Amino acid sequence: MELYPAIDLRNGGAVRLTQGDFAREKRYGDPLALAATCMEGGASWIHVVDLDAARTGEPHERATLARIVQLAGQAGGRVQTGGGIRTEDDVAAVLDLGVSRVVLGTTSLRDPALTTRCIRRWPGQIALGLDYSGADIAVGQAQSHGWEVSSPLSIPAVLAQWADEPLGPVVATSIARDGMLGGPDLAGLGTLLSLTPHPVIASGGVGTLDDLRALARLTGPGVAGAIVGKALVEGRFSVEEAVAVCAASV
């Protein structure tokens, strides 16, 4: 299982929201300093989100993203990013910055045909951003536009569209658990693993190293990665500790 330290960008700084609520924002300083800490701690990936772009569809943090990509690359790391990527040209522009993987969330729900074109053009480099609400993932709804709009499609229906396509991982975020540090949605993720042939990266709720161990123990193909944000920036555990726990799950 890979660790994906999360850096959410807004107004040039690193921030964390609670349950995706922009009114519940906490700032954590210089995103480049955070990225450097992640690389020094042994992380292979950084997960970067342009929060305002996720709502508006207009890029706000491309310059900062480019600097994070450069910093990570110098340390042998890679960047996965999402937020506001609405067109094929947007995907190309972000990949041209050196990003290794692009997460399509709102676009996948709003324009499945465009998403399919991107998946086929850049096999393995497009991830599906599945941000979901509800206790039962099998009947829950995917959310878009910065978690402010619900999709009419069920989560299984969303996943079925790309079951046979060269999609990268499914990045699954439990909105109810995001930023709460109360543990990941193990039941929902267990169901999700049975609904898709693609790797799953879990996001939302990790607050302890035992939470990472629990994710790694999920049955079936298991969770390929864990996105961790608030627990790292608030010092619940270090990047080094998290990387070691994830590595032990291999």
Side-chain angles (χ1 to χ4, degrees), residues 102-121:
V102 176
V103 182
L104 297 183
T106 294
T107 296
S108 68
L109 299 176
R110 190 183 67 174
D111 196 339
L114 183 150
T115 301
T116 299
R117 291 198 303 274
C118 291
I119 290 168
R120 292 175 180 176
R121 181 176 174 183

mmCIF file with all atom_site columns, all heavy atoms in Angstrom, residues 102-121:
data_model
loop_
_atom_site.group_PDB
_atom_site.id
_atom_site.type_symbol
_atom_site.label_atom_id
_atom_site.label_alt_id
_atom_site.label_comp_id
_atom_site.label_asym_id
_atom_site.label_entity_id
_atom_site.label_seq_id
_atom_site.pdbx_PDB_ins_code
_atom_site.Cartn_x
_atom_site.Cartn_y
_atom_site.Cartn_z
_atom_site.occupancy
_atom_site.B_iso_or_equiv
_atom_site.pdbx_formal_charge
_atom_site.auth_seq_id
_atom_site.auth_comp_id
_atom_site.auth_asym_id
_atom_site.auth_atom_id
_atom_site.pdbx_PDB_model_num
ATOM 1   N N   . VAL A 1 102 ? -3.663  12.232 -13.140 1.00 0.00 ? 102 VAL A N   1
ATOM 2   C CA  . VAL A 1 102 ? -4.705  13.253 -13.025 1.00 0.00 ? 102 VAL A CA  1
ATOM 3   C C   . VAL A 1 102 ? -5.992  12.603 -12.534 1.00 0.00 ? 102 VAL A C   1
ATOM 4   O O   . VAL A 1 102 ? -6.427  11.577 -13.079 1.00 0.00 ? 102 VAL A O   1
ATOM 5   C CB  . VAL A 1 102 ? -4.946  13.935 -14.376 1.00 0.00 ? 102 VAL A CB  1
ATOM 6   C CG1 . VAL A 1 102 ? -6.090  14.936 -14.281 1.00 0.00 ? 102 VAL A CG1 1
ATOM 7   C CG2 . VAL A 1 102 ? -3.673  14.632 -14.862 1.00 0.00 ? 102 VAL A CG2 1
ATOM 8   N N   . VAL A 1 103 ? -6.589  13.195 -11.518 1.00 0.00 ? 103 VAL A N   1
ATOM 9   C CA  . VAL A 1 103 ? -7.840  12.687 -10.953 1.00 0.00 ? 103 VAL A CA  1
ATOM 10  C C   . VAL A 1 103 ? -9.002  13.477 -11.540 1.00 0.00 ? 103 VAL A C   1
ATOM 11  O O   . VAL A 1 103 ? -9.068  14.706 -11.405 1.00 0.00 ? 103 VAL A O   1
ATOM 12  C CB  . VAL A 1 103 ? -7.844  12.811 -9.418  1.00 0.00 ? 103 VAL A CB  1
ATOM 13  C CG1 . VAL A 1 103 ? -9.143  12.224 -8.851  1.00 0.00 ? 103 VAL A CG1 1
ATOM 14  C CG2 . VAL A 1 103 ? -6.630  12.121 -8.806  1.00 0.00 ? 103 VAL A CG2 1
ATOM 15  N N   . LEU A 1 104 ? -9.927  12.761 -12.190 1.00 0.00 ? 104 LEU A N   1
ATOM 16  C CA  . LEU A 1 104 ? -11.129 13.384 -12.739 1.00 0.00 ? 104 LEU A CA  1
ATOM 17  C C   . LEU A 1 104 ? -12.319 13.012 -11.868 1.00 0.00 ? 104 LEU A C   1
ATOM 18  O O   . LEU A 1 104 ? -12.683 11.841 -11.771 1.00 0.00 ? 104 LEU A O   1
ATOM 19  C CB  . LEU A 1 104 ? -11.365 12.921 -14.182 1.00 0.00 ? 104 LEU A CB  1
ATOM 20  C CG  . LEU A 1 104 ? -10.283 13.292 -15.203 1.00 0.00 ? 104 LEU A CG  1
ATOM 21  C CD1 . LEU A 1 104 ? -10.694 12.818 -16.602 1.00 0.00 ? 104 LEU A CD1 1
ATOM 22  C CD2 . LEU A 1 104 ? -10.018 14.792 -15.213 1.00 0.00 ? 104 LEU A CD2 1
ATOM 23  N N   . GLY A 1 105 ? -12.914 14.004 -11.235 1.00 0.00 ? 105 GLY A N   1
ATOM 24  C CA  . GLY A 1 105 ? -14.074 13.787 -10.381 1.00 0.00 ? 105 GLY A CA  1
ATOM 25  C C   . GLY A 1 105 ? -15.329 14.354 -11.004 1.00 0.00 ? 105 GLY A C   1
ATOM 26  O O   . GLY A 1 105 ? -16.143 13.638 -11.570 1.00 0.00 ? 105 GLY A O   1
ATOM 27  N N   . THR A 1 106 ? -15.481 15.680 -10.927 1.00 0.00 ? 106 THR A N   1
ATOM 28  C CA  . THR A 1 106 ? -16.638 16.336 -11.533 1.00 0.00 ? 106 THR A CA  1
ATOM 29  C C   . THR A 1 106 ? -16.747 15.999 -13.014 1.00 0.00 ? 106 THR A C   1
ATOM 30  O O   . THR A 1 106 ? -17.849 15.709 -13.523 1.00 0.00 ? 106 THR A O   1
ATOM 31  C CB  . THR A 1 106 ? -16.528 17.860 -11.339 1.00 0.00 ? 106 THR A CB  1
ATOM 32  O OG1 . THR A 1 106 ? -16.623 18.155 -9.940  1.00 0.00 ? 106 THR A OG1 1
ATOM 33  C CG2 . THR A 1 106 ? -17.637 18.592 -12.087 1.00 0.00 ? 106 THR A CG2 1
ATOM 34  N N   . THR A 1 107 ? -15.639 16.022 -13.728 1.00 0.00 ? 107 THR A N   1
ATOM 35  C CA  . THR A 1 107 ? -15.665 15.745 -15.166 1.00 0.00 ? 107 THR A CA  1
ATOM 36  C C   . THR A 1 107 ? -16.160 14.339 -15.457 1.00 0.00 ? 107 THR A C   1
ATOM 37  O O   . THR A 1 107 ? -16.907 14.116 -16.421 1.00 0.00 ? 107 THR A O   1
ATOM 38  C CB  . THR A 1 107 ? -14.266 15.956 -15.761 1.00 0.00 ? 107 THR A CB  1
ATOM 39  O OG1 . THR A 1 107 ? -13.917 17.334 -15.617 1.00 0.00 ? 107 THR A OG1 1
ATOM 40  C CG2 . THR A 1 107 ? -14.226 15.579 -17.239 1.00 0.00 ? 107 THR A CG2 1
ATOM 41  N N   . SER A 1 108 ? -15.782 13.379 -14.640 1.00 0.00 ? 108 SER A N   1
ATOM 42  C CA  . SER A 1 108 ? -16.219 11.997 -14.882 1.00 0.00 ? 108 SER A CA  1
ATOM 43  C C   . SER A 1 108 ? -17.728 11.867 -14.758 1.00 0.00 ? 108 SER A C   1
ATOM 44  O O   . SER A 1 108 ? -18.355 11.057 -15.461 1.00 0.00 ? 108 SER A O   1
ATOM 45  C CB  . SER A 1 108 ? -15.519 11.042 -13.916 1.00 0.00 ? 108 SER A CB  1
ATOM 46  O OG  . SER A 1 108 ? -15.946 11.251 -12.583 1.00 0.00 ? 108 SER A OG  1
ATOM 47  N N   . LEU A 1 109 ? -18.333 12.659 -13.887 1.00 0.00 ? 109 LEU A N   1
ATOM 48  C CA  . LEU A 1 109 ? -19.785 12.605 -13.701 1.00 0.00 ? 109 LEU A CA  1
ATOM 49  C C   . LEU A 1 109 ? -20.513 13.449 -14.734 1.00 0.00 ? 109 LEU A C   1
ATOM 50  O O   . LEU A 1 109 ? -21.587 13.084 -15.209 1.00 0.00 ? 109 LEU A O   1
ATOM 51  C CB  . LEU A 1 109 ? -20.142 13.086 -12.292 1.00 0.00 ? 109 LEU A CB  1
ATOM 52  C CG  . LEU A 1 109 ? -19.555 12.270 -11.136 1.00 0.00 ? 109 LEU A CG  1
ATOM 53  C CD1 . LEU A 1 109 ? -19.911 12.929 -9.811  1.00 0.00 ? 109 LEU A CD1 1
ATOM 54  C CD2 . LEU A 1 109 ? -20.044 10.833 -11.161 1.00 0.00 ? 109 LEU A CD2 1
ATOM 55  N N   . ARG A 1 110 ? -19.933 14.577 -15.093 1.00 0.00 ? 110 ARG A N   1
ATOM 56  C CA  . ARG A 1 110 ? -20.579 15.507 -16.005 1.00 0.00 ? 110 ARG A CA  1
ATOM 57  C C   . ARG A 1 110 ? -20.398 15.102 -17.473 1.00 0.00 ? 110 ARG A C   1
ATOM 58  O O   . ARG A 1 110 ? -21.292 15.331 -18.306 1.00 0.00 ? 110 ARG A O   1
ATOM 59  C CB  . ARG A 1 110 ? -19.997 16.904 -15.792 1.00 0.00 ? 110 ARG A CB  1
ATOM 60  C CG  . ARG A 1 110 ? -20.748 18.012 -16.523 1.00 0.00 ? 110 ARG A CG  1
ATOM 61  C CD  . ARG A 1 110 ? -20.076 19.346 -16.328 1.00 0.00 ? 110 ARG A CD  1
ATOM 62  N NE  . ARG A 1 110 ? -18.766 19.409 -16.981 1.00 0.00 ? 110 ARG A NE  1
ATOM 63  C CZ  . ARG A 1 110 ? -18.008 20.502 -17.056 1.00 0.00 ? 110 ARG A CZ  1
ATOM 64  N NH1 . ARG A 1 110 ? -18.420 21.611 -16.467 1.00 0.00 ? 110 ARG A NH1 1
ATOM 65  N NH2 . ARG A 1 110 ? -16.859 20.496 -17.672 1.00 0.00 ? 110 ARG A NH2 1
ATOM 66  N N   . ASP A 1 111 ? -19.242 14.522 -17.804 1.00 0.00 ? 111 ASP A N   1
ATOM 67  C CA  . ASP A 1 111 ? -18.927 14.221 -19.205 1.00 0.00 ? 111 ASP A CA  1
ATOM 68  C C   . ASP A 1 111 ? -18.196 12.888 -19.298 1.00 0.00 ? 111 ASP A C   1
ATOM 69  O O   . ASP A 1 111 ? -16.975 12.842 -19.509 1.00 0.00 ? 111 ASP A O   1
ATOM 70  C CB  . ASP A 1 111 ? -18.075 15.347 -19.790 1.00 0.00 ? 111 ASP A CB  1
ATOM 71  C CG  . ASP A 1 111 ? -18.028 15.313 -21.309 1.00 0.00 ? 111 ASP A CG  1
ATOM 72  O OD1 . ASP A 1 111 ? -18.298 14.243 -21.884 1.00 0.00 ? 111 ASP A OD1 1
ATOM 73  O OD2 . ASP A 1 111 ? -17.700 16.359 -21.913 1.00 0.00 ? 111 ASP A OD2 1
ATOM 74  N N   . PRO A 1 112 ? -18.930 11.768 -19.173 1.00 0.00 ? 112 PRO A N   1
ATOM 75  C CA  . PRO A 1 112 ? -18.289 10.457 -19.238 1.00 0.00 ? 112 PRO A CA  1
ATOM 76  C C   . PRO A 1 112 ? -17.558 10.203 -20.554 1.00 0.00 ? 112 PRO A C   1
ATOM 77  O O   . PRO A 1 112 ? -16.527 9.527  -20.572 1.00 0.00 ? 112 PRO A O   1
ATOM 78  C CB  . PRO A 1 112 ? -19.461 9.486  -19.049 1.00 0.00 ? 112 PRO A CB  1
ATOM 79  C CG  . PRO A 1 112 ? -20.514 10.279 -18.346 1.00 0.00 ? 112 PRO A CG  1
ATOM 80  C CD  . PRO A 1 112 ? -20.369 11.672 -18.857 1.00 0.00 ? 112 PRO A CD  1
ATOM 81  N N   . ALA A 1 113 ? -18.084 10.736 -21.662 1.00 0.00 ? 113 ALA A N   1
ATOM 82  C CA  . ALA A 1 113 ? -17.435 10.504 -22.956 1.00 0.00 ? 113 ALA A CA  1
ATOM 83  C C   . ALA A 1 113 ? -16.054 11.154 -22.997 1.00 0.00 ? 113 ALA A C   1
ATOM 84  O O   . ALA A 1 113 ? -15.087 10.551 -23.491 1.00 0.00 ? 113 ALA A O   1
ATOM 85  C CB  . ALA A 1 113 ? -18.312 11.042 -24.086 1.00 0.00 ? 113 ALA A CB  1
ATOM 86  N N   . LEU A 1 114 ? -15.951 12.375 -22.482 1.00 0.00 ? 114 LEU A N   1
ATOM 87  C CA  . LEU A 1 114 ? -14.651 13.031 -22.419 1.00 0.00 ? 114 LEU A CA  1
ATOM 88  C C   . LEU A 1 114 ? -13.697 12.234 -21.521 1.00 0.00 ? 114 LEU A C   1
ATOM 89  O O   . LEU A 1 114 ? -12.508 12.063 -21.842 1.00 0.00 ? 114 LEU A O   1
ATOM 90  C CB  . LEU A 1 114 ? -14.817 14.448 -21.885 1.00 0.00 ? 114 LEU A CB  1
ATOM 91  C CG  . LEU A 1 114 ? -13.562 15.333 -21.821 1.00 0.00 ? 114 LEU A CG  1
ATOM 92  C CD1 . LEU A 1 114 ? -13.934 16.792 -21.997 1.00 0.00 ? 114 LEU A CD1 1
ATOM 93  C CD2 . LEU A 1 114 ? -12.811 15.164 -20.492 1.00 0.00 ? 114 LEU A CD2 1
ATOM 94  N N   . THR A 1 115 ? -14.219 11.750 -20.409 1.00 0.00 ? 115 THR A N   1
ATOM 95  C CA  . THR A 1 115 ? -13.399 10.954 -19.496 1.00 0.00 ? 115 THR A CA  1
ATOM 96  C C   . THR A 1 115 ? -12.868 9.711  -20.186 1.00 0.00 ? 115 THR A C   1
ATOM 97  O O   . THR A 1 115 ? -11.681 9.359  -20.046 1.00 0.00 ? 115 THR A O   1
ATOM 98  C CB  . THR A 1 115 ? -14.221 10.576 -18.255 1.00 0.00 ? 115 THR A CB  1
ATOM 99  O OG1 . THR A 1 115 ? -14.664 11.779 -17.605 1.00 0.00 ? 115 THR A OG1 1
ATOM 100 C CG2 . THR A 1 115 ? -13.404 9.752  -17.279 1.00 0.00 ? 115 THR A CG2 1
ATOM 101 N N   . THR A 1 116 ? -13.720 9.047  -20.947 1.00 0.00 ? 116 THR A N   1
ATOM 102 C CA  . THR A 1 116 ? -13.277 7.853  -21.676 1.00 0.00 ? 116 THR A CA  1
ATOM 103 C C   . THR A 1 116 ? -12.175 8.196  -22.679 1.00 0.00 ? 116 THR A C   1
ATOM 104 O O   . THR A 1 116 ? -11.185 7.456  -22.816 1.00 0.00 ? 116 THR A O   1
ATOM 105 C CB  . THR A 1 116 ? -14.465 7.199  -22.404 1.00 0.00 ? 116 THR A CB  1
ATOM 106 O OG1 . THR A 1 116 ? -15.438 6.814  -21.429 1.00 0.00 ? 116 THR A OG1 1
ATOM 107 C CG2 . THR A 1 116 ? -14.022 5.972  -23.190 1.00 0.00 ? 116 THR A CG2 1
ATOM 108 N N   . ARG A 1 117 ? -12.317 9.311  -23.388 1.00 0.00 ? 117 ARG A N   1
ATOM 109 C CA  . ARG A 1 117 ? -11.268 9.729  -24.326 1.00 0.00 ? 117 ARG A CA  1
ATOM 110 C C   . ARG A 1 117 ? -9.941  9.940  -23.603 1.00 0.00 ? 117 ARG A C   1
ATOM 111 O O   . ARG A 1 117 ? -8.876  9.540  -24.094 1.00 0.00 ? 117 ARG A O   1
ATOM 112 C CB  . ARG A 1 117 ? -11.669 11.012 -25.056 1.00 0.00 ? 117 ARG A CB  1
ATOM 113 C CG  . ARG A 1 117 ? -12.806 10.843 -26.037 1.00 0.00 ? 117 ARG A CG  1
ATOM 114 C CD  . ARG A 1 117 ? -12.862 12.012 -27.031 1.00 0.00 ? 117 ARG A CD  1
ATOM 115 N NE  . ARG A 1 117 ? -12.983 13.311 -26.391 1.00 0.00 ? 117 ARG A NE  1
ATOM 116 C CZ  . ARG A 1 117 ? -14.138 13.868 -26.033 1.00 0.00 ? 117 ARG A CZ  1
ATOM 117 N NH1 . ARG A 1 117 ? -15.283 13.213 -26.219 1.00 0.00 ? 117 ARG A NH1 1
ATOM 118 N NH2 . ARG A 1 117 ? -14.171 15.066 -25.474 1.00 0.00 ? 117 ARG A NH2 1
ATOM 119 N N   . CYS A 1 118 ? -10.000 10.580 -22.454 1.00 0.00 ? 118 CYS A N   1
ATOM 120 C CA  . CYS A 1 118 ? -8.779  10.821 -21.691 1.00 0.00 ? 118 CYS A CA  1
ATOM 121 C C   . CYS A 1 118 ? -8.158  9.517  -21.200 1.00 0.00 ? 118 CYS A C   1
ATOM 122 O O   . CYS A 1 118 ? -6.926  9.340  -21.248 1.00 0.00 ? 118 CYS A O   1
ATOM 123 C CB  . CYS A 1 118 ? -9.076  11.744 -20.512 1.00 0.00 ? 118 CYS A CB  1
ATOM 124 S SG  . CYS A 1 118 ? -9.491  13.448 -20.972 1.00 0.00 ? 118 CYS A SG  1
ATOM 125 N N   . ILE A 1 119 ? -8.980  8.606  -20.732 1.00 0.00 ? 119 ILE A N   1
ATOM 126 C CA  . ILE A 1 119 ? -8.482  7.315  -20.252 1.00 0.00 ? 119 ILE A CA  1
ATOM 127 C C   . ILE A 1 119 ? -7.759  6.573  -21.374 1.00 0.00 ? 119 ILE A C   1
ATOM 128 O O   . ILE A 1 119 ? -6.695  5.962  -21.157 1.00 0.00 ? 119 ILE A O   1
ATOM 129 C CB  . ILE A 1 119 ? -9.649  6.473  -19.698 1.00 0.00 ? 119 ILE A CB  1
ATOM 130 C CG1 . ILE A 1 119 ? -10.177 7.074  -18.387 1.00 0.00 ? 119 ILE A CG1 1
ATOM 131 C CG2 . ILE A 1 119 ? -9.233  5.025  -19.486 1.00 0.00 ? 119 ILE A CG2 1
ATOM 132 C CD1 . ILE A 1 119 ? -11.484 6.490  -17.927 1.00 0.00 ? 119 ILE A CD1 1
ATOM 133 N N   . ARG A 1 120 ? -8.316  6.627  -22.571 1.00 0.00 ? 120 ARG A N   1
ATOM 134 C CA  . ARG A 1 120 ? -7.708  5.921  -23.699 1.00 0.00 ? 120 ARG A CA  1
ATOM 135 C C   . ARG A 1 120 ? -6.473  6.643  -24.225 1.00 0.00 ? 120 ARG A C   1
ATOM 136 O O   . ARG A 1 120 ? -5.530  5.995  -24.706 1.00 0.00 ? 120 ARG A O   1
ATOM 137 C CB  . ARG A 1 120 ? -8.751  5.751  -24.806 1.00 0.00 ? 120 ARG A CB  1
ATOM 138 C CG  . ARG A 1 120 ? -9.870  4.798  -24.408 1.00 0.00 ? 120 ARG A CG  1
ATOM 139 C CD  . ARG A 1 120 ? -10.966 4.737  -25.468 1.00 0.00 ? 120 ARG A CD  1
ATOM 140 N NE  . ARG A 1 120 ? -12.021 3.818  -25.054 1.00 0.00 ? 120 ARG A NE  1
ATOM 141 C CZ  . ARG A 1 120 ? -13.138 3.616  -25.747 1.00 0.00 ? 120 ARG A CZ  1
ATOM 142 N NH1 . ARG A 1 120 ? -13.350 4.271  -26.896 1.00 0.00 ? 120 ARG A NH1 1
ATOM 143 N NH2 . ARG A 1 120 ? -14.053 2.761  -25.306 1.00 0.00 ? 120 ARG A NH2 1
ATOM 144 N N   . ARG A 1 121 ? -6.474  7.960  -24.142 1.00 0.00 ? 121 ARG A N   1
ATOM 145 C CA  . ARG A 1 121 ? -5.318  8.732  -24.621 1.00 0.00 ? 121 ARG A CA  1
ATOM 146 C C   . ARG A 1 121 ? -4.128  8.606  -23.669 1.00 0.00 ? 121 ARG A C   1
ATOM 147 O O   . ARG A 1 121 ? -2.969  8.553  -24.103 1.00 0.00 ? 121 ARG A O   1
ATOM 148 C CB  . ARG A 1 121 ? -5.713  10.199 -24.787 1.00 0.00 ? 121 ARG A CB  1
ATOM 149 C CG  . ARG A 1 121 ? -4.586  11.083 -25.299 1.00 0.00 ? 121 ARG A CG  1
ATOM 150 C CD  . ARG A 1 121 ? -5.083  12.509 -25.545 1.00 0.00 ? 121 ARG A CD  1
ATOM 151 N NE  . ARG A 1 121 ? -3.986  13.405 -25.892 1.00 0.00 ? 121 ARG A NE  1
ATOM 152 C CZ  . ARG A 1 121 ? -4.124  14.712 -26.103 1.00 0.00 ? 121 ARG A CZ  1
ATOM 153 N NH1 . ARG A 1 121 ? -5.324  15.278 -26.012 1.00 0.00 ? 121 ARG A NH1 1
ATOM 154 N NH2 . ARG A 1 121 ? -3.069  15.457 -26.397 1.00 0.00 ? 121 ARG A NH2 1
#
